[in-house]
Protein backbone atom coordinates (compact mmCIF):
# COMPACT_ATOMS: atom_id res chain seq x y z
CA UNK A 1 0.00 0.00 0.00
CA UNK A 2 2.79 2.42 0.84
CA UNK A 3 4.55 1.76 -2.48
CA UNK A 4 1.31 2.10 -4.43
CA UNK A 5 0.43 5.34 -2.62
CA UNK A 6 3.84 6.82 -3.41
CA UNK A 7 3.60 5.92 -7.11
CA UNK A 8 0.14 7.52 -7.34
CA UNK A 9 1.42 10.63 -5.59
CA UNK A 10 4.32 11.00 -8.04
CA UNK A 11 2.31 10.16 -11.16
CA UNK A 12 -0.64 12.44 -10.43
CA UNK A 13 1.46 15.28 -8.94
CA UNK A 14 -0.81 15.56 -5.91
CA UNK A 15 -0.78 18.81 -3.98
CA UNK A 16 0.00 18.74 -0.22
CA UNK A 17 -3.71 19.14 0.53
CA UNK A 18 -4.62 16.13 -1.62
CA UNK A 19 -1.81 14.05 -0.11
CA UNK A 20 -3.06 14.82 3.40
CA UNK A 21 -6.63 13.89 2.48
CA UNK A 22 -5.58 10.62 0.84
CA UNK A 23 -3.38 9.70 3.80
CA UNK A 24 -6.33 10.18 6.12
CA UNK A 25 -8.53 8.04 3.88
CA UNK A 26 -5.92 5.29 3.78
CA UNK A 27 -5.46 5.36 7.53
CA UNK A 28 -9.21 5.10 8.13
CA UNK A 29 -9.52 2.19 5.70
CA UNK A 30 -6.68 0.29 7.39
CA UNK A 31 -8.15 0.79 10.85
CA UNK A 32 -11.46 -0.66 9.66
CA UNK A 33 -9.71 -3.72 8.29
CA UNK A 34 -10.06 -5.59 11.59
CA UNK A 35 -13.85 -5.42 11.23
CA UNK A 36 -13.65 -7.62 8.13
CA UNK A 37 -10.76 -9.91 9.10
CA UNK A 38 -10.88 -12.40 12.01
CA UNK A 39 -7.14 -12.49 12.47
CA UNK A 40 -5.40 -9.35 11.29
CA UNK A 41 -1.84 -10.28 10.21
CA UNK A 42 -0.34 -7.22 11.96
CA UNK A 43 -1.19 -4.79 14.72
CA UNK A 44 -3.15 -2.39 12.52
CA UNK A 45 -3.46 0.47 15.01
CA UNK A 46 0.22 0.67 15.92
CA UNK A 47 1.33 0.23 12.30
CA UNK A 48 -0.97 2.97 11.05
CA UNK A 49 0.13 5.27 13.85
CA UNK A 50 3.83 4.75 13.24
CA UNK A 51 3.82 4.92 9.43
CA UNK A 52 1.00 7.28 8.47
CA UNK A 53 1.21 9.73 11.36
CA UNK A 54 4.74 10.73 10.43
CA UNK A 55 3.74 11.13 6.78
CA UNK A 56 0.71 13.25 7.70
CA UNK A 57 2.79 15.51 9.95
CA UNK A 58 5.30 15.99 7.15
CA UNK A 59 2.74 17.41 4.73
CA UNK A 60 0.30 19.09 7.12
CA UNK A 61 2.19 22.41 7.23
CA UNK A 62 2.48 22.50 3.43
CA UNK A 63 -1.23 21.68 3.15
CA UNK A 64 -2.14 24.43 5.63
CA UNK A 65 -0.05 26.97 3.72
CA UNK A 66 -1.73 25.91 0.46
CA UNK A 67 -5.21 26.37 1.97
CA UNK A 68 -4.29 29.83 3.26
CA UNK A 69 -3.14 30.91 -0.19
CA UNK A 70 -6.15 32.52 -1.81
CA UNK A 71 -6.18 33.57 -5.47
CA UNK A 72 -6.33 37.26 -6.32
CA UNK A 73 -9.53 37.61 -8.42
CA UNK A 74 -8.86 38.67 -11.99
CA UNK A 75 -10.87 41.53 -13.45
CA UNK A 76 -12.66 41.31 -16.76
CA UNK A 77 -10.11 43.68 -18.27
CA UNK A 78 -7.22 41.52 -17.07
CA UNK A 79 -8.81 38.37 -18.46
CA UNK A 80 -9.33 39.99 -21.86
CA UNK A 81 -5.78 41.34 -21.91
CA UNK A 82 -4.32 37.92 -21.10
CA UNK A 83 -6.27 36.25 -23.91
CA UNK A 84 -5.25 39.02 -26.32
CA UNK A 85 -1.58 38.57 -25.36
CA UNK A 86 -1.78 34.82 -25.93
CA UNK A 87 -3.31 35.33 -29.38
CA UNK A 88 -0.70 37.96 -30.22
CA UNK A 89 2.07 35.51 -29.31
CA UNK A 90 0.47 32.76 -31.40
CA UNK A 91 -0.36 30.65 -28.33
CA UNK A 92 -3.93 29.96 -29.45
CA UNK A 93 -4.38 26.88 -27.27
CA UNK A 94 -3.51 28.92 -24.18
CA UNK A 95 -5.75 31.77 -25.31
CA UNK A 96 -8.70 29.44 -25.85
CA UNK A 97 -8.28 27.72 -22.48
CA UNK A 98 -8.10 31.06 -20.69
CA UNK A 99 -11.30 32.14 -22.45
CA UNK A 100 -13.06 28.90 -21.46
CA UNK A 101 -11.93 29.25 -17.85
CA UNK A 102 -13.34 32.77 -17.70
CA UNK A 103 -16.58 31.86 -19.47
CA UNK A 104 -17.31 28.75 -17.38
CA UNK A 105 -15.85 29.79 -13.99
CA UNK A 106 -14.82 26.16 -13.54
CA UNK A 107 -11.77 24.77 -11.78
CA UNK A 108 -8.65 24.74 -13.99
CA UNK A 109 -8.34 20.96 -13.72
CA UNK A 110 -11.91 20.47 -14.98
CA UNK A 111 -11.49 22.87 -17.88
CA UNK A 112 -8.22 21.29 -18.97
CA UNK A 113 -9.77 17.82 -19.22
CA UNK A 114 -12.30 18.92 -21.82
CA UNK A 115 -12.62 17.13 -25.14
CA UNK A 116 -13.52 18.80 -28.41
CA UNK A 117 -17.12 17.59 -28.24
CA UNK A 118 -17.55 19.42 -24.91
CA UNK A 119 -17.07 22.88 -26.41
CA UNK A 120 -19.20 24.76 -28.93
CA UNK A 121 -18.67 28.17 -30.44
CA UNK A 122 -22.03 29.50 -31.65
CA UNK A 123 -21.52 32.91 -33.16
CA UNK A 124 -19.67 34.71 -30.42
CA UNK A 125 -21.21 32.62 -27.63
CA UNK A 126 -18.99 30.04 -25.95
CA UNK A 127 -20.84 26.96 -24.66
CA UNK A 128 -19.13 24.36 -22.48
CA UNK A 129 -20.53 21.01 -21.34
CA UNK A 130 -18.94 19.31 -18.33
CA UNK A 131 -19.53 15.58 -17.90
CA UNK A 132 -19.55 14.11 -14.41
CA UNK A 133 -20.54 10.48 -14.49
CA UNK A 134 -23.85 10.33 -16.35
CA UNK A 135 -24.72 13.90 -15.48
CA UNK A 136 -24.16 16.74 -17.91
CA UNK A 137 -23.82 20.38 -17.03
CA UNK A 138 -24.06 23.04 -19.71
CA UNK A 139 -22.43 26.31 -18.81
CA UNK A 140 -22.50 29.31 -21.06
CA UNK A 141 -26.16 29.63 -21.96
CA UNK A 142 -28.12 32.67 -20.84
CA UNK A 143 -25.26 34.51 -19.18
CA UNK A 144 -24.00 36.88 -21.88
CA UNK A 145 -21.78 38.77 -19.44
CA UNK A 146 -19.55 35.71 -19.48
CA UNK A 147 -20.26 33.78 -22.61
CA UNK A 148 -20.14 36.44 -25.29
CA UNK A 149 -16.54 36.72 -26.43
CA UNK A 150 -15.01 39.55 -28.48
CA UNK A 151 -15.56 39.12 -32.21
CA UNK A 152 -11.86 39.45 -32.97
CA UNK A 153 -11.16 36.18 -31.11
CA UNK A 154 -13.56 34.10 -33.20
CA UNK A 155 -11.38 33.42 -36.31
CA UNK A 156 -8.46 32.19 -34.17
CA UNK A 157 -10.70 30.02 -32.00
CA UNK A 158 -12.62 28.53 -34.92
CA UNK A 159 -9.35 27.64 -36.66
CA UNK A 160 -8.04 26.08 -33.43
CA UNK A 161 -11.14 23.92 -32.87
CA UNK A 162 -11.22 22.75 -36.48
CA UNK A 163 -8.04 20.77 -35.89
CA UNK A 164 -9.61 18.36 -33.40
CA UNK A 165 -11.83 15.29 -33.65
CA UNK A 166 -14.78 15.05 -31.23
CA UNK A 167 -12.95 12.74 -28.78
CA UNK A 168 -9.65 14.63 -28.84
CA UNK A 169 -8.52 16.39 -25.69
CA UNK A 170 -7.99 20.11 -26.20
CA UNK A 171 -4.92 20.28 -24.01
CA UNK A 172 -1.50 19.00 -25.04
CA UNK A 173 0.33 15.76 -24.21
CA UNK A 174 4.07 15.25 -23.94
CA UNK A 175 6.14 12.64 -25.78
CA UNK A 176 5.25 9.98 -23.17
CA UNK A 177 1.53 10.51 -23.61
CA UNK A 178 1.22 12.28 -20.24
CA UNK A 179 -0.98 15.35 -20.15
CA UNK A 180 1.08 18.46 -19.45
CA UNK A 181 0.76 20.15 -16.07
CA UNK A 182 -1.52 22.76 -17.55
CA UNK A 183 -2.54 24.72 -14.41
CA UNK A 184 1.11 25.43 -13.68
CA UNK A 185 1.78 26.41 -17.30
CA UNK A 186 -1.22 28.72 -17.34
CA UNK A 187 -0.20 30.31 -14.05
CA UNK A 188 3.27 30.95 -15.46
CA UNK A 189 1.75 32.61 -18.52
CA UNK A 190 -0.60 34.78 -16.47
CA UNK A 191 2.16 35.87 -14.10
CA UNK A 192 4.24 36.98 -17.05
CA UNK A 193 1.58 39.67 -17.60
CA UNK A 194 0.13 40.20 -14.11
CA UNK A 195 2.47 38.80 -11.41
CA UNK A 196 -0.33 38.60 -8.83
CA UNK A 197 -2.51 36.24 -10.91
CA UNK A 198 -2.47 32.48 -11.20
CA UNK A 199 -4.77 29.94 -12.86
CA UNK A 200 -7.45 30.02 -10.15
CA UNK A 201 -7.61 33.82 -10.36
CA UNK A 202 -9.77 33.54 -13.48
CA UNK A 203 -12.31 31.31 -11.74
CA UNK A 204 -12.41 33.57 -8.68
CA UNK A 205 -12.71 36.70 -10.79
CA UNK A 206 -15.38 35.19 -13.01
CA UNK A 207 -17.56 34.28 -10.03
CA UNK A 208 -17.09 37.74 -8.51
CA UNK A 209 -18.03 39.36 -11.82
CA UNK A 210 -21.21 37.26 -11.96
CA UNK A 211 -22.14 38.21 -8.39
CA UNK A 212 -21.62 41.92 -9.11
CA UNK A 213 -23.84 41.59 -12.19
CA UNK A 214 -26.72 40.29 -10.06
CA UNK A 215 -26.58 36.63 -11.11
CA UNK A 216 -28.79 34.62 -8.69
CA UNK A 217 -27.07 32.71 -5.87
CA UNK A 218 -28.42 29.40 -7.15
CA UNK A 219 -26.68 29.98 -10.48
CA UNK A 220 -23.47 31.07 -8.74
CA UNK A 221 -23.43 27.84 -6.75
CA UNK A 222 -23.99 25.80 -9.89
CA UNK A 223 -20.97 27.43 -11.51
CA UNK A 224 -18.78 27.25 -8.42
CA UNK A 225 -19.76 23.78 -7.27
CA UNK A 226 -20.18 25.10 -3.72
CA UNK A 227 -23.16 24.50 -1.45
CA UNK A 228 -23.21 28.08 -0.22
CA UNK A 229 -21.92 31.45 -1.40
Amino acid sequence: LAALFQSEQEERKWSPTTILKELGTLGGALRRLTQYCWDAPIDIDSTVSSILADAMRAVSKEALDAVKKKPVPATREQAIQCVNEAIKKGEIRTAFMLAVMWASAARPGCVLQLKRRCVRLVGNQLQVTFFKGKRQEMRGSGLPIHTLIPNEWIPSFEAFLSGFKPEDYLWAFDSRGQRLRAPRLLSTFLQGIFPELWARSLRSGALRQMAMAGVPETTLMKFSGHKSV
Side-chain angles (χ1 to χ4, degrees):
L1 282 172
L4 178 62
F5 183 87
Q6 183 176 359
S7 67
E8 286 290 296
Q9 174 184 336
E10 293 173 352
E11 180 179 348
R12 300 192 181 198
K13 308 294 183 184
W14 282 341
S15 67
T17 306
T18 302
I19 295 171
L20 188 62
K21 181 183 72 174
E22 297 296 339
L23 281 170
T25 301
L26 177 60
L30 287 174
R31 289 190 179 92
R32 294 173 65 89
L33 183 62
T34 53
Q35 299 180 21
Y36 307 100
C37 181
W38 288 107
D39 297 309
I42 57 174
D43 184 344
I44 296 295
D45 286 337
S46 62
T47 302
V48 169
S49 297
S50 62
I51 296 177
L52 295 184
D54 290 342
M56 294 177 76
R57 278 194 295 270
V59 298
S60 60
K61 185 179 185 304
E62 294 180 67
L64 183 61
D65 291 342
V67 170
K68 289 180 178 178
K69 185 179 180 182
K70 301 293 184 183
V72 176
T75 65
R76 182 174 181 273
E77 291 72 22
Q78 286 177 320
I80 290 175
Q81 183 175 339
C82 288
V83 175
N84 284 334
E85 285 292 326
I87 293 175
K88 183 179 178 181
K89 293 179 180 180
E91 299 182 25
I92 308 303
R93 189 192 305 270
T94 297
F96 185 75
M97 285 302 179
L98 292 175
V100 171
M101 288 172 63
W102 180 261
S104 62
R107 293 177 176 85
C110 296
V111 172
L112 297 164
Q113 293 180 32
L114 291 172
K115 295 182 177 181
R116 171 63 183 88
R117 62 182 171 87
C118 302
V119 180
R120 295 182 62 204
L121 191 58
V122 183
N124 65 338
Q125 186 181 70
L126 195 58
Q127 297 180 349
V128 187
T129 302
F130 292 92
F131 293 87
K132 185 176 181 181
K134 295 182 179 179
R135 196 177 93 194
Q136 298 183 22
E137 288 187 0
M138 169 69 79
R139 298 183 187 178
S141 178
L143 290 171
I145 188 171
H146 264 11
T147 60
L148 297 184
I149 63 175
N151 290 326
E152 57 268 25
W153 295 356
I154 296 175
S156 296
F157 288 173
E158 287 180 338
F160 170 71
L161 292 174
S162 67
F164 293 90
K165 298 178 181 178
E167 294 301 316
D168 288 346
Y169 286 100
L170 294 176
W171 196 251
F173 290 78
D174 62 21
S175 58
R176 297 175 299 170
Q178 299 285 335
R179 198 165 314 158
L180 296 176
R181 300 299 300 163
R184 186 177 304 168
L185 293 175
L186 290 177
S187 291
T188 300
F189 179 85
L190 290 170
Q191 288 164 4
I193 305 171
F194 298 103
E196 70 275 16
L197 300 185
W198 40 304
R200 286 175 55 196
S201 295
L202 291 182
R203 166 178 164 82
S204 179
L207 291 169
R208 176 170 292 191
Q209 183 86 3
M210 293 166 67
M212 292 172 58
V215 174
E217 288 187 2
T218 52
T219 304
L220 279 177
M221 288 188 287
K222 176 183 176 183
F223 271 69
S224 68
H226 299 154
K227 294 182 179 179
S228 68
V229 294

